[in-house]
Amino acid sequence: MVSQSVIGIAFRAAKRAFDIAASVVGMVVLSPLLLATAVAVKFTSQGPVIFKQKRYGKDEVPFTCYKFRTMKIDTPPNIPTRVMREDKAVMTPIGAMLRKTSIDELPQLVNIVKGDMSVIGPRPMILADYEQIEARARYGANDIRPGLTGWAQINGRDAVTVEEKARLDGEYRRNMGFRLDARIFFRSFVVVLGRFGYAEVKEEDGQAYSDFSQEDEVGLCESPSGGRAA
């Protein structure tokens, strides 16, 4: 019988291999969209095409995260989305559309190739978002690479509270494995295409609830108390 530790090592290796392969393929396949978006950003507002920002990575180590710029250059920096809701005063002409479709996140494919991020994992938080990082720490979710999409993103995204998002991130950390990653990956397309969970100017009440069950996925990585995952 194969031990859980061996399965965990295999999962981490496979996850990293998938991250690199999916990101490289994604950059090639999406290159026309990436180029068109870069041109659109440049010609619809002043400022750089790529927005660079320090964010927390694995083990709370900061890294430089890349995004297509969606806000005007005079917007106050390092303010979480939930604190400053996007509106016409701060967004570029195409900023809202880029965020709603998550196209603004595509430059993070470079972060994934570099090893800063994974395709699947908790979203990288800005350095000023202490509340979210501390909440994640309570659920043991800060010791894995942040992701382009994650369990919290397909279960509410910005429509959930800080605590609920941290709980969902912790739930992913405890149960991460092949099946759960595949489920998140494919469900993310449905969420993006349906434009669910985007933080609109009008804030919605209520919580999103995870439909995860222990019978649905067996955790393949060690628990937070038993070791770290990639």
Side-chain angles (χ1 to χ4, degrees):
M1 183 176 179
V2 181
S3 68
Q4 284 293 101
S5 61
V6 172
I7 295 175
I9 292 173
F11 168 70
R12 292 193 291 272
K15 183 177 176 71
R16 181 59 187 147
F18 173 78
D19 285 342
I20 295 173
S23 298
V24 171
V25 171
M27 285 188 286
V28 173
V29 173
L30 297 173
S31 57
L33 175 61
L34 294 171
L35 178 59
T37 302
V39 172
V41 171
K42 187 65 177 177
F43 283 94
T44 56
S45 63
Q46 294 183 338
V49 170
I50 299 297
F51 175 66
K52 300 178 182 179
Q53 186 179 53
K54 288 292 184 181
R55 297 199 177 194
Y56 284 113
K58 181 182 177 184
D59 298 321
E60 300 179 37
V61 177
F63 71 97
T64 301
C65 184
Y66 307 124
K67 297 182 65 174
F68 282 121
R69 184 173 54 81
T70 58
M71 292 189 287
K72 298 176 182 178
I73 57 176
D74 58 351
T75 303
N78 298 322
I79 299 178
T81 301
R82 66 176 185 277
V83 175
M84 183 180 64
R85 297 300 181 188
E86 291 88 343
D87 57 34
K88 294 181 180 180
V90 299
M91 300 297 286
T92 65
I94 64 171
M97 182 275 292
L98 293 180
R99 289 201 170 198
K100 188 171 289 188
T101 57
S102 294
I103 292 175
D104 65 315
E105 310 288 359
L106 291 180
Q108 289 162 32
L109 292 171
V110 175
N111 287 119
I112 296 173
V113 173
K114 290 174 60 180
D116 300 324
M117 295 175 59
S118 177
V119 174
I120 309 296
R123 287 293 296 152
M125 307 309 301
I126 65 174
L127 301 189
D129 203 352
Y130 308 115
E131 184 181 6
Q132 188 70 63
I133 289 297
E134 290 174 356
R136 277 185 184 171
R138 293 195 295 272
Y139 290 95
N142 285 331
D143 68 342
I144 55 177
R145 287 189 180 97
L148 189 63
T149 184
W151 190 234
Q153 279 60 54
I154 67 169
N155 283 286
R157 196 174 175 179
D158 290 323
V160 299
T161 64
V162 169
E163 190 68 20
E164 178 67 4
K165 189 180 294 185
R167 186 192 68 78
L168 289 166
D169 288 335
E171 188 171 74
Y172 171 75
R173 172 62 182 88
R174 292 191 304 275
N175 299 284
M176 56 192 296
F178 294 110
R179 287 173 56 197
L180 185 56
D181 270 21
R183 181 177 179 181
I184 294 170
F185 181 79
F186 291 110
R187 176 64 180 168
S188 294
F189 290 101
V190 176
V191 171
V192 171
L193 292 175
R195 298 179 179 180
F196 296 133
Y198 177 73
E200 300 285 2
V201 176
K202 179 180 179 181
E203 185 171 359
E204 298 179 1
D205 295 326
Q207 292 184 335
Y209 294 93
S210 161
D211 57 357
F212 179 85
S213 68
Q214 291 295 331
E215 296 178 355
D216 188 61
E217 176 71 25
V218 177
L220 298 182
C221 290
E222 296 172 285
S223 65
S225 60
R228 299 187 185 280

mmCIF file with all atom_site columns, all heavy atoms in Angstrom, residues 81-82 84-87 96 99-100 158-159 195-204:
data_model
loop_
_atom_site.group_PDB
_atom_site.id
_atom_site.type_symbol
_atom_site.label_atom_id
_atom_site.label_alt_id
_atom_site.label_comp_id
_atom_site.label_asym_id
_atom_site.label_entity_id
_atom_site.label_seq_id
_atom_site.pdbx_PDB_ins_code
_atom_site.Cartn_x
_atom_site.Cartn_y
_atom_site.Cartn_z
_atom_site.occupancy
_atom_site.B_iso_or_equiv
_atom_site.pdbx_formal_charge
_atom_site.auth_seq_id
_atom_site.auth_comp_id
_atom_site.auth_asym_id
_atom_site.auth_atom_id
_atom_site.pdbx_PDB_model_num
ATOM 1   N N   . THR A 1 81  ? -9.823  45.288 -2.502  1.00 0.00 ? 81  THR A N   1
ATOM 2   C CA  . THR A 1 81  ? -11.024 45.518 -3.302  1.00 0.00 ? 81  THR A CA  1
ATOM 3   C C   . THR A 1 81  ? -12.259 45.695 -2.437  1.00 0.00 ? 81  THR A C   1
ATOM 4   O O   . THR A 1 81  ? -13.124 46.515 -2.715  1.00 0.00 ? 81  THR A O   1
ATOM 5   C CB  . THR A 1 81  ? -11.245 44.336 -4.269  1.00 0.00 ? 81  THR A CB  1
ATOM 6   O OG1 . THR A 1 81  ? -10.095 44.232 -5.116  1.00 0.00 ? 81  THR A OG1 1
ATOM 7   C CG2 . THR A 1 81  ? -12.475 44.553 -5.134  1.00 0.00 ? 81  THR A CG2 1
ATOM 8   N N   . ARG A 1 82  ? -12.344 44.897 -1.347  1.00 0.00 ? 82  ARG A N   1
ATOM 9   C CA  . ARG A 1 82  ? -13.549 44.960 -0.517  1.00 0.00 ? 82  ARG A CA  1
ATOM 10  C C   . ARG A 1 82  ? -13.662 46.292 0.219   1.00 0.00 ? 82  ARG A C   1
ATOM 11  O O   . ARG A 1 82  ? -14.741 46.675 0.660   1.00 0.00 ? 82  ARG A O   1
ATOM 12  C CB  . ARG A 1 82  ? -13.550 43.813 0.504   1.00 0.00 ? 82  ARG A CB  1
ATOM 13  C CG  . ARG A 1 82  ? -12.460 43.900 1.552   1.00 0.00 ? 82  ARG A CG  1
ATOM 14  C CD  . ARG A 1 82  ? -12.578 42.795 2.596   1.00 0.00 ? 82  ARG A CD  1
ATOM 15  N NE  . ARG A 1 82  ? -11.611 42.974 3.649   1.00 0.00 ? 82  ARG A NE  1
ATOM 16  C CZ  . ARG A 1 82  ? -10.348 42.578 3.588   1.00 0.00 ? 82  ARG A CZ  1
ATOM 17  N NH1 . ARG A 1 82  ? -9.913  41.979 2.495   1.00 0.00 ? 82  ARG A NH1 1
ATOM 18  N NH2 . ARG A 1 82  ? -9.524  42.771 4.591   1.00 0.00 ? 82  ARG A NH2 1
ATOM 19  N N   . MET A 1 84  ? -12.290 49.383 -1.081  1.00 0.00 ? 84  MET A N   1
ATOM 20  C CA  . MET A 1 84  ? -12.553 50.423 -2.072  1.00 0.00 ? 84  MET A CA  1
ATOM 21  C C   . MET A 1 84  ? -13.219 49.777 -3.282  1.00 0.00 ? 84  MET A C   1
ATOM 22  O O   . MET A 1 84  ? -12.566 49.222 -4.157  1.00 0.00 ? 84  MET A O   1
ATOM 23  C CB  . MET A 1 84  ? -11.257 51.104 -2.504  1.00 0.00 ? 84  MET A CB  1
ATOM 24  C CG  . MET A 1 84  ? -11.472 52.243 -3.481  1.00 0.00 ? 84  MET A CG  1
ATOM 25  S SD  . MET A 1 84  ? -9.917  53.008 -3.970  1.00 0.00 ? 84  MET A SD  1
ATOM 26  C CE  . MET A 1 84  ? -9.118  51.647 -4.828  1.00 0.00 ? 84  MET A CE  1
ATOM 27  N N   . ARG A 1 85  ? -14.527 49.801 -3.316  1.00 0.00 ? 85  ARG A N   1
ATOM 28  C CA  . ARG A 1 85  ? -15.261 49.210 -4.429  1.00 0.00 ? 85  ARG A CA  1
ATOM 29  C C   . ARG A 1 85  ? -14.980 49.976 -5.721  1.00 0.00 ? 85  ARG A C   1
ATOM 30  O O   . ARG A 1 85  ? -14.910 51.201 -5.736  1.00 0.00 ? 85  ARG A O   1
ATOM 31  C CB  . ARG A 1 85  ? -16.772 49.227 -4.135  1.00 0.00 ? 85  ARG A CB  1
ATOM 32  C CG  . ARG A 1 85  ? -17.166 48.396 -2.923  1.00 0.00 ? 85  ARG A CG  1
ATOM 33  C CD  . ARG A 1 85  ? -16.789 46.931 -3.096  1.00 0.00 ? 85  ARG A CD  1
ATOM 34  N NE  . ARG A 1 85  ? -17.198 46.154 -1.942  1.00 0.00 ? 85  ARG A NE  1
ATOM 35  C CZ  . ARG A 1 85  ? -16.870 44.884 -1.756  1.00 0.00 ? 85  ARG A CZ  1
ATOM 36  N NH1 . ARG A 1 85  ? -16.129 44.264 -2.637  1.00 0.00 ? 85  ARG A NH1 1
ATOM 37  N NH2 . ARG A 1 85  ? -17.287 44.242 -0.681  1.00 0.00 ? 85  ARG A NH2 1
ATOM 38  N N   . GLU A 1 86  ? -14.782 49.227 -6.805  1.00 0.00 ? 86  GLU A N   1
ATOM 39  C CA  . GLU A 1 86  ? -14.496 49.853 -8.087  1.00 0.00 ? 86  GLU A CA  1
ATOM 40  C C   . GLU A 1 86  ? -15.632 50.761 -8.520  1.00 0.00 ? 86  GLU A C   1
ATOM 41  O O   . GLU A 1 86  ? -16.793 50.397 -8.426  1.00 0.00 ? 86  GLU A O   1
ATOM 42  C CB  . GLU A 1 86  ? -14.253 48.778 -9.153  1.00 0.00 ? 86  GLU A CB  1
ATOM 43  C CG  . GLU A 1 86  ? -12.975 48.001 -8.937  1.00 0.00 ? 86  GLU A CG  1
ATOM 44  C CD  . GLU A 1 86  ? -13.155 46.803 -8.038  1.00 0.00 ? 86  GLU A CD  1
ATOM 45  O OE1 . GLU A 1 86  ? -14.168 46.733 -7.324  1.00 0.00 ? 86  GLU A OE1 1
ATOM 46  O OE2 . GLU A 1 86  ? -12.279 45.942 -8.040  1.00 0.00 ? 86  GLU A OE2 1
ATOM 47  N N   . ASP A 1 87  ? -15.283 51.953 -8.982  1.00 0.00 ? 87  ASP A N   1
ATOM 48  C CA  . ASP A 1 87  ? -16.272 52.863 -9.539  1.00 0.00 ? 87  ASP A CA  1
ATOM 49  C C   . ASP A 1 87  ? -15.610 53.685 -10.641 1.00 0.00 ? 87  ASP A C   1
ATOM 50  O O   . ASP A 1 87  ? -14.415 53.540 -10.905 1.00 0.00 ? 87  ASP A O   1
ATOM 51  C CB  . ASP A 1 87  ? -16.891 53.755 -8.455  1.00 0.00 ? 87  ASP A CB  1
ATOM 52  C CG  . ASP A 1 87  ? -15.851 54.562 -7.702  1.00 0.00 ? 87  ASP A CG  1
ATOM 53  O OD1 . ASP A 1 87  ? -14.842 54.952 -8.328  1.00 0.00 ? 87  ASP A OD1 1
ATOM 54  O OD2 . ASP A 1 87  ? -16.043 54.811 -6.503  1.00 0.00 ? 87  ASP A OD2 1
ATOM 55  N N   . ALA A 1 96  ? -13.212 47.842 -15.604 1.00 0.00 ? 96  ALA A N   1
ATOM 56  C CA  . ALA A 1 96  ? -14.293 47.035 -15.056 1.00 0.00 ? 96  ALA A CA  1
ATOM 57  C C   . ALA A 1 96  ? -14.489 45.756 -15.862 1.00 0.00 ? 96  ALA A C   1
ATOM 58  O O   . ALA A 1 96  ? -14.698 44.673 -15.305 1.00 0.00 ? 96  ALA A O   1
ATOM 59  C CB  . ALA A 1 96  ? -15.586 47.841 -15.005 1.00 0.00 ? 96  ALA A CB  1
ATOM 60  N N   . ARG A 1 99  ? -11.675 43.249 -15.129 1.00 0.00 ? 99  ARG A N   1
ATOM 61  C CA  . ARG A 1 99  ? -11.841 42.593 -13.838 1.00 0.00 ? 99  ARG A CA  1
ATOM 62  C C   . ARG A 1 99  ? -13.003 41.613 -13.842 1.00 0.00 ? 99  ARG A C   1
ATOM 63  O O   . ARG A 1 99  ? -12.911 40.517 -13.282 1.00 0.00 ? 99  ARG A O   1
ATOM 64  C CB  . ARG A 1 99  ? -12.035 43.636 -12.739 1.00 0.00 ? 99  ARG A CB  1
ATOM 65  C CG  . ARG A 1 99  ? -10.774 44.410 -12.440 1.00 0.00 ? 99  ARG A CG  1
ATOM 66  C CD  . ARG A 1 99  ? -10.828 45.038 -11.069 1.00 0.00 ? 99  ARG A CD  1
ATOM 67  N NE  . ARG A 1 99  ? -9.524  45.571 -10.707 1.00 0.00 ? 99  ARG A NE  1
ATOM 68  C CZ  . ARG A 1 99  ? -9.170  45.863 -9.459  1.00 0.00 ? 99  ARG A CZ  1
ATOM 69  N NH1 . ARG A 1 99  ? -10.010 45.655 -8.472  1.00 0.00 ? 99  ARG A NH1 1
ATOM 70  N NH2 . ARG A 1 99  ? -7.976  46.352 -9.206  1.00 0.00 ? 99  ARG A NH2 1
ATOM 71  N N   . LYS A 1 100 ? -14.096 42.008 -14.464 1.00 0.00 ? 100 LYS A N   1
ATOM 72  C CA  . LYS A 1 100 ? -15.279 41.150 -14.471 1.00 0.00 ? 100 LYS A CA  1
ATOM 73  C C   . LYS A 1 100 ? -15.006 39.835 -15.193 1.00 0.00 ? 100 LYS A C   1
ATOM 74  O O   . LYS A 1 100 ? -15.535 38.787 -14.820 1.00 0.00 ? 100 LYS A O   1
ATOM 75  C CB  . LYS A 1 100 ? -16.453 41.894 -15.101 1.00 0.00 ? 100 LYS A CB  1
ATOM 76  C CG  . LYS A 1 100 ? -17.782 41.162 -14.979 1.00 0.00 ? 100 LYS A CG  1
ATOM 77  C CD  . LYS A 1 100 ? -18.955 42.040 -15.421 1.00 0.00 ? 100 LYS A CD  1
ATOM 78  C CE  . LYS A 1 100 ? -19.218 43.142 -14.415 1.00 0.00 ? 100 LYS A CE  1
ATOM 79  N NZ  . LYS A 1 100 ? -20.476 43.884 -14.730 1.00 0.00 ? 100 LYS A NZ  1
ATOM 80  N N   . ASP A 1 158 ? -15.422 37.623 -4.236  1.00 0.00 ? 158 ASP A N   1
ATOM 81  C CA  . ASP A 1 158 ? -15.475 38.826 -3.401  1.00 0.00 ? 158 ASP A CA  1
ATOM 82  C C   . ASP A 1 158 ? -16.809 39.008 -2.693  1.00 0.00 ? 158 ASP A C   1
ATOM 83  O O   . ASP A 1 158 ? -16.988 39.975 -1.960  1.00 0.00 ? 158 ASP A O   1
ATOM 84  C CB  . ASP A 1 158 ? -15.179 40.065 -4.251  1.00 0.00 ? 158 ASP A CB  1
ATOM 85  C CG  . ASP A 1 158 ? -13.726 40.119 -4.690  1.00 0.00 ? 158 ASP A CG  1
ATOM 86  O OD1 . ASP A 1 158 ? -12.862 39.721 -3.894  1.00 0.00 ? 158 ASP A OD1 1
ATOM 87  O OD2 . ASP A 1 158 ? -13.464 40.547 -5.824  1.00 0.00 ? 158 ASP A OD2 1
ATOM 88  N N   . ALA A 1 159 ? -17.754 38.099 -2.927  1.00 0.00 ? 159 ALA A N   1
ATOM 89  C CA  . ALA A 1 159 ? -19.071 38.239 -2.307  1.00 0.00 ? 159 ALA A CA  1
ATOM 90  C C   . ALA A 1 159 ? -19.114 37.621 -0.916  1.00 0.00 ? 159 ALA A C   1
ATOM 91  O O   . ALA A 1 159 ? -20.140 37.699 -0.247  1.00 0.00 ? 159 ALA A O   1
ATOM 92  C CB  . ALA A 1 159 ? -20.138 37.594 -3.200  1.00 0.00 ? 159 ALA A CB  1
ATOM 93  N N   . ARG A 1 195 ? -19.734 35.330 -14.724 1.00 0.00 ? 195 ARG A N   1
ATOM 94  C CA  . ARG A 1 195 ? -19.469 36.576 -14.011 1.00 0.00 ? 195 ARG A CA  1
ATOM 95  C C   . ARG A 1 195 ? -20.032 36.568 -12.602 1.00 0.00 ? 195 ARG A C   1
ATOM 96  O O   . ARG A 1 195 ? -20.578 37.566 -12.118 1.00 0.00 ? 195 ARG A O   1
ATOM 97  C CB  . ARG A 1 195 ? -20.040 37.774 -14.788 1.00 0.00 ? 195 ARG A CB  1
ATOM 98  C CG  . ARG A 1 195 ? -19.408 37.943 -16.157 1.00 0.00 ? 195 ARG A CG  1
ATOM 99  C CD  . ARG A 1 195 ? -20.010 39.117 -16.893 1.00 0.00 ? 195 ARG A CD  1
ATOM 100 N NE  . ARG A 1 195 ? -19.384 39.303 -18.198 1.00 0.00 ? 195 ARG A NE  1
ATOM 101 C CZ  . ARG A 1 195 ? -19.718 40.256 -19.061 1.00 0.00 ? 195 ARG A CZ  1
ATOM 102 N NH1 . ARG A 1 195 ? -20.678 41.118 -18.745 1.00 0.00 ? 195 ARG A NH1 1
ATOM 103 N NH2 . ARG A 1 195 ? -19.126 40.367 -20.217 1.00 0.00 ? 195 ARG A NH2 1
ATOM 104 N N   . PHE A 1 196 ? -19.876 35.442 -11.909 1.00 0.00 ? 196 PHE A N   1
ATOM 105 C CA  . PHE A 1 196 ? -20.381 35.338 -10.544 1.00 0.00 ? 196 PHE A CA  1
ATOM 106 C C   . PHE A 1 196 ? -19.334 35.842 -9.557  1.00 0.00 ? 196 PHE A C   1
ATOM 107 O O   . PHE A 1 196 ? -18.138 35.674 -9.744  1.00 0.00 ? 196 PHE A O   1
ATOM 108 C CB  . PHE A 1 196 ? -20.712 33.887 -10.196 1.00 0.00 ? 196 PHE A CB  1
ATOM 109 C CG  . PHE A 1 196 ? -21.812 33.313 -11.025 1.00 0.00 ? 196 PHE A CG  1
ATOM 110 C CD1 . PHE A 1 196 ? -21.684 32.057 -11.605 1.00 0.00 ? 196 PHE A CD1 1
ATOM 111 C CD2 . PHE A 1 196 ? -22.980 34.025 -11.239 1.00 0.00 ? 196 PHE A CD2 1
ATOM 112 C CE1 . PHE A 1 196 ? -22.699 31.526 -12.375 1.00 0.00 ? 196 PHE A CE1 1
ATOM 113 C CE2 . PHE A 1 196 ? -24.000 33.506 -12.003 1.00 0.00 ? 196 PHE A CE2 1
ATOM 114 C CZ  . PHE A 1 196 ? -23.862 32.251 -12.576 1.00 0.00 ? 196 PHE A CZ  1
ATOM 115 N N   . GLY A 1 197 ? -19.784 36.437 -8.448  1.00 0.00 ? 197 GLY A N   1
ATOM 116 C CA  . GLY A 1 197 ? -18.908 36.762 -7.327  1.00 0.00 ? 197 GLY A CA  1
ATOM 117 C C   . GLY A 1 197 ? -18.033 37.975 -7.512  1.00 0.00 ? 197 GLY A C   1
ATOM 118 O O   . GLY A 1 197 ? -17.176 38.240 -6.693  1.00 0.00 ? 197 GLY A O   1
ATOM 119 N N   . TYR A 1 198 ? -18.206 38.705 -8.604  1.00 0.00 ? 198 TYR A N   1
ATOM 120 C CA  . TYR A 1 198 ? -17.388 39.897 -8.806  1.00 0.00 ? 198 TYR A CA  1
ATOM 121 C C   . TYR A 1 198 ? -17.813 41.001 -7.851  1.00 0.00 ? 198 TYR A C   1
ATOM 122 O O   . TYR A 1 198 ? -18.990 41.217 -7.620  1.00 0.00 ? 198 TYR A O   1
ATOM 123 C CB  . TYR A 1 198 ? -17.525 40.369 -10.253 1.00 0.00 ? 198 TYR A CB  1
ATOM 124 C CG  . TYR A 1 198 ? -16.773 41.640 -10.565 1.00 0.00 ? 198 TYR A CG  1
ATOM 125 C CD1 . TYR A 1 198 ? -15.392 41.644 -10.679 1.00 0.00 ? 198 TYR A CD1 1
ATOM 126 C CD2 . TYR A 1 198 ? -17.451 42.843 -10.739 1.00 0.00 ? 198 TYR A CD2 1
ATOM 127 C CE1 . TYR A 1 198 ? -14.704 42.808 -10.965 1.00 0.00 ? 198 TYR A CE1 1
ATOM 128 C CE2 . TYR A 1 198 ? -16.768 44.008 -11.032 1.00 0.00 ? 198 TYR A CE2 1
ATOM 129 C CZ  . TYR A 1 198 ? -15.394 43.977 -11.146 1.00 0.00 ? 198 TYR A CZ  1
ATOM 130 O OH  . TYR A 1 198 ? -14.721 45.137 -11.426 1.00 0.00 ? 198 TYR A OH  1
ATOM 131 N N   . ALA A 1 199 ? -16.848 41.739 -7.306  1.00 0.00 ? 199 ALA A N   1
ATOM 132 C CA  . ALA A 1 199 ? -17.149 42.799 -6.334  1.00 0.00 ? 199 ALA A CA  1
ATOM 133 C C   . ALA A 1 199 ? -17.658 44.029 -7.073  1.00 0.00 ? 199 ALA A C   1
ATOM 134 O O   . ALA A 1 199 ? -16.902 44.860 -7.544  1.00 0.00 ? 199 ALA A O   1
ATOM 135 C CB  . ALA A 1 199 ? -15.912 43.155 -5.523  1.00 0.00 ? 199 ALA A CB  1
ATOM 136 N N   . GLU A 1 200 ? -18.971 44.157 -7.162  1.00 0.00 ? 200 GLU A N   1
ATOM 137 C CA  . GLU A 1 200 ? -19.563 45.300 -7.837  1.00 0.00 ? 200 GLU A CA  1
ATOM 138 C C   . GLU A 1 200 ? -19.597 46.509 -6.907  1.00 0.00 ? 200 GLU A C   1
ATOM 139 O O   . GLU A 1 200 ? -19.310 46.423 -5.729  1.00 0.00 ? 200 GLU A O   1
ATOM 140 C CB  . GLU A 1 200 ? -21.004 44.953 -8.264  1.00 0.00 ? 200 GLU A CB  1
ATOM 141 C CG  . GLU A 1 200 ? -21.088 43.773 -9.213  1.00 0.00 ? 200 GLU A CG  1
ATOM 142 C CD  . GLU A 1 200 ? -20.654 44.114 -10.641 1.00 0.00 ? 200 GLU A CD  1
ATOM 143 O OE1 . GLU A 1 200 ? -20.246 45.280 -10.861 1.00 0.00 ? 200 GLU A OE1 1
ATOM 144 O OE2 . GLU A 1 200 ? -20.713 43.238 -11.506 1.00 0.00 ? 200 GLU A OE2 1
ATOM 145 N N   . VAL A 1 201 ? -19.974 47.653 -7.456  1.00 0.00 ? 201 VAL A N   1
ATOM 146 C CA  . VAL A 1 201 ? -20.085 48.863 -6.649  1.00 0.00 ? 201 VAL A CA  1
ATOM 147 C C   . VAL A 1 201 ? -21.118 48.664 -5.559  1.00 0.00 ? 201 VAL A C   1
ATOM 148 O O   . VAL A 1 201 ? -20.953 49.074 -4.427  1.00 0.00 ? 201 VAL A O   1
ATOM 149 C CB  . VAL A 1 201 ? -20.461 50.056 -7.541  1.00 0.00 ? 201 VAL A CB  1
ATOM 150 C CG1 . VAL A 1 201 ? -20.685 51.293 -6.697  1.00 0.00 ? 201 VAL A CG1 1
ATOM 151 C CG2 . VAL A 1 201 ? -19.360 50.311 -8.566  1.00 0.00 ? 201 VAL A CG2 1
ATOM 152 N N   . LYS A 1 202 ? -22.204 47.985 -5.894  1.00 0.00 ? 202 LYS A N   1
ATOM 153 C CA  . LYS A 1 202 ? -23.228 47.702 -4.906  1.00 0.00 ? 202 LYS A CA  1
ATOM 154 C C   . LYS A 1 202 ? -22.882 46.399 -4.210  1.00 0.00 ? 202 LYS A C   1
ATOM 155 O O   . LYS A 1 202 ? -22.851 45.339 -4.801  1.00 0.00 ? 202 LYS A O   1
ATOM 156 C CB  . LYS A 1 202 ? -24.597 47.567 -5.587  1.00 0.00 ? 202 LYS A CB  1
ATOM 157 C CG  . LYS A 1 202 ? -25.722 47.252 -4.605  1.00 0.00 ? 202 LYS A CG  1
ATOM 158 C CD  . LYS A 1 202 ? -27.053 47.137 -5.327  1.00 0.00 ? 202 LYS A CD  1
ATOM 159 C CE  . LYS A 1 202 ? -28.181 46.795 -4.345  1.00 0.00 ? 202 LYS A CE  1
ATOM 160 N NZ  . LYS A 1 202 ? -29.473 46.658 -5.043  1.00 0.00 ? 202 LYS A NZ  1
ATOM 161 N N   . GLU A 1 203 ? -22.612 46.461 -2.936  1.00 0.00 ? 203 GLU A N   1
ATOM 162 C CA  . GLU A 1 203 ? -22.199 45.273 -2.197  1.00 0.00 ? 203 GLU A CA  1
ATOM 163 C C   . GLU A 1 203 ? -23.411 44.417 -1.864  1.00 0.00 ? 203 GLU A C   1
ATOM 164 O O   . GLU A 1 203 ? -24.445 44.919 -1.434  1.00 0.00 ? 203 GLU A O   1
ATOM 165 C CB  . GLU A 1 203 ? -21.488 45.683 -0.910  1.00 0.00 ? 203 GLU A CB  1
ATOM 166 C CG  . GLU A 1 203 ? -20.920 44.500 -0.126  1.00 0.00 ? 203 GLU A CG  1
ATOM 167 C CD  . GLU A 1 203 ? -20.044 44.951 1.022   1.00 0.00 ? 203 GLU A CD  1
ATOM 168 O OE1 . GLU A 1 203 ? -19.875 46.174 1.179   1.00 0.00 ? 203 GLU A OE1 1
ATOM 169 O OE2 . GLU A 1 203 ? -19.552 44.091 1.743   1.00 0.00 ? 203 GLU A OE2 1
ATOM 170 N N   . GLU A 1 204 ? -23.245 43.115 -2.048  1.00 0.00 ? 204 GLU A N   1
ATOM 171 C CA  . GLU A 1 204 ? -24.328 42.195 -1.748  1.00 0.00 ? 204 GLU A CA  1
ATOM 172 C C   . GLU A 1 204 ? -24.154 41.607 -0.365  1.00 0.00 ? 204 GLU A C   1
ATOM 173 O O   . GLU A 1 204 ? -23.052 41.424 0.114   1.00 0.00 ? 204 GLU A O   1
ATOM 174 C CB  . GLU A 1 204 ? -24.348 41.068 -2.796  1.00 0.00 ? 204 GLU A CB  1
ATOM 175 C CG  . GLU A 1 204 ? -24.601 41.593 -4.207  1.00 0.00 ? 204 GLU A CG  1
ATOM 176 C CD  . GLU A 1 204 ? -24.582 40.469 -5.218  1.00 0.00 ? 204 GLU A CD  1
ATOM 177 O OE1 . GLU A 1 204 ? -24.397 39.310 -4.796  1.00 0.00 ? 204 GLU A OE1 1
ATOM 178 O OE2 . GLU A 1 204 ? -24.743 40.754 -6.414  1.00 0.00 ? 204 GLU A OE2 1
#
